[in-house]
Amino acid sequence: MRITVRVAAVQAEPSWLRLSDGVEQVVELIRAAATQGARLIAFPEAFLPGYPWWRWIDTNQWNVEYSTRCRENSMTRDGVEMRAITGAAAAHGIHVVLGFGERRDRRIYMSQAVIDDSGELLSVRRKAGLNSVERKIFASGTPNLPAVHHTPIGKYAALSGQENQRPLLTRALRADEEQIHVAAWPGSPYADAAGPDSSITVSRMYALEVGAFVLAPTAVVGEPAFDGMGGAPRIGGPTGRARIYAADGREVVTPLEDGAEGILYADLDLDAGSGDTRQRDSVPAARDRKDRDPVPVRRGSRRVASGWQSGPDRWALPVSLGTYPGGIAAC
């Protein structure tokens, strides 16, 4: 039986350093994606409370203040904020991959939560390989292998930022025949801090290497990011560059304009991306959305990849509407 799954990749500006507002924003985006028939929605890296791009401006005195606010507005994995988000996933029958700052004691981690369509928190994985700037704010997580979650909508997994180009992690996901991958990226007024178009290039190469569909959500950094920043310079450059790729590296949806806010939608034919070679030369993965009902909700058993690691932290697992000729919508 052929399986077609509608997925959603977020390109939106976070509610910078305002956790309660950010949770409301996440819940609303979950509702909006589910209304369009999406079965999986992917959020950017550290979307709650927003990726701390200001740490790249080391000469500003307000760095310490806003880094403190970042910690204060991070959330716990079992607090009321997470329960609101898992409740939204259950209420709308949609899987959620969310990047957030996880607070534990006096430390915060760059974490990524995977929530299924019944509201079950399948995993929370803490990013281990931090860059030199991220280490000024976040603690490093346990370097366990990520997990591929086997669900009724397919086998999917997620990584954050430059993790998406680390062979040890990508090979582990390919070994478990990952079908859908979330490559979550932060927003930065410098565009891609690692280099020109680095997030786009890495996401596409991941699709080619692993033979999986890739959702690459990315945050927008606009004027609200600079409000209250004590005179931080307005730095230009394109931000917000979400993409969705087929297993052969093709873009299956026309992206939103750089800096525009919205959600990318695509209907993925998982059979077109399955098998040892993922059939990269098969028929296009984008299917016409007009003549088909949304994929029915189906509950079922789940299992986690054999690379799952137990231990003291068992969760540390490895708005405008437009259309595209292939039938995909960008909203």
Side-chain angles (χ1 to χ4, degrees):
M1 182 180 69
R2 302 188 74 86
I3 300 177
T4 303
V5 179
R6 180 165 299 165
V7 297
V10 171
Q11 178 175 306
E13 181 143 17
S15 298
W16 300 101
L17 303 178
R18 303 191 309 275
L19 180 57
S20 59
D21 291 345
V23 172
E24 292 179 4
Q25 180 185 15
V26 167
V27 169
E28 174 57 26
L29 288 168
I30 289 173
R31 183 205 63 77
T35 299
Q36 293 294 324
R39 299 295 313 283
L40 169 66
I41 181 171
F43 287 87
E45 182 176 27
F47 192 69
L48 294 177
Y51 186 83
W53 54 266
W54 55 84
R55 285 301 308 189
W56 267 262
I57 311 175
D58 288 333
T59 58
N60 288 274
Q61 295 297 321
W62 42 260
N63 251 329
V64 174
E65 174 189 349
Y66 287 98
S67 296
T68 300
R69 285 180 56 188
C70 182
R71 178 175 60 81
E72 293 173 346
N73 283 274
S74 294
M75 66 181 189
T76 61
R77 66 179 60 182
D78 56 358
V80 62
E81 295 88 2
M82 182 63 79
R83 290 196 294 273
I85 294 167
T86 57
H92 298 291
I94 185 172
H95 295 248
V96 178
V97 176
L98 174 67
F100 70 103
E102 180 193 352
R103 186 180 72 254
R104 181 169 183 179
D105 299 326
R106 294 191 59 81
R107 293 184 176 183
I108 54 174
Y109 299 88
M110 300 184 72
S111 295
Q112 204 170 27
V114 177
I115 304 163
D116 75 0
D117 55 357
S118 68
E120 180 182 349
L121 191 61
L122 298 182
S123 68
V124 176
R125 182 173 179 274
R126 295 169 174 170
K127 185 177 179 181
L130 308 182
N131 62 41
S132 59
V133 177
E134 291 168 349
R135 286 196 295 269
K136 295 178 181 178
I137 300 177
F138 299 101
S140 180
T142 305
N144 290 346
L145 293 178
V148 174
H149 299 282
H150 295 235
T151 75
I153 66 167
K155 294 176 282 188
Y156 70 87
L159 293 172
S160 291
Q162 296 303 313
E163 288 185 323
N164 291 286
Q165 62 184 109
R166 291 179 183 155
L168 178 63
L169 304 181
T170 60
R171 289 171 185 169
L173 298 180
R174 179 171 185 170
D176 202 36
E177 300 180 350
E178 181 188 30
Q179 294 172 297
I180 304 173
H181 179 73
V182 175
W185 298 95
S188 169
Y190 303 99
D192 288 350
D197 296 331
S198 62
S199 62
I200 296 173
T201 302
V202 170
S203 299
R204 186 180 182 193
M205 288 304 299
Y206 189 101
L208 290 167
E209 177 187 356
V210 178
F213 295 101
V214 174
L215 282 65
T218 311
V220 171
V221 182
E223 284 300 315
F226 296 94
D227 291 345
M229 282 292 183
R234 264 58 171 174
I235 302 168
T239 67
R241 317 182 85 180
R243 297 290 190 274
I244 300 179
Y245 292 102
D248 60 2
R250 291 176 297 108
E251 288 190 55
V252 298
V253 58
T254 301
L256 297 168
E257 293 183 4
D258 291 345
E261 294 191 71
I263 303 175
L264 288 182
Y265 295 99
D267 292 336
L268 308 182
D269 182 352
L270 297 189
D271 291 303
S274 62
D276 292 337
T277 63
R278 299 297 192 270
Q279 302 176 15
R280 291 175 183 170
D281 297 323
S282 61
V283 297
R287 301 300 183 191
D288 194 342
R289 60 178 287 184
K290 294 182 292 186
D291 299 323
R292 186 187 62 257
D293 293 329
V295 179
V297 176
R298 179 163 65 90
R299 310 294 186 196
S301 60
R302 308 169 186 83
R303 70 182 180 88
V304 176
S306 57
W308 182 85
Q309 302 288 322
S310 61
D313 184 4
R314 73 182 188 89
W315 289 111
L317 302 178
V319 162
S320 59
L321 182 65
T323 58
Y324 180 63
I328 309 304
C331 163

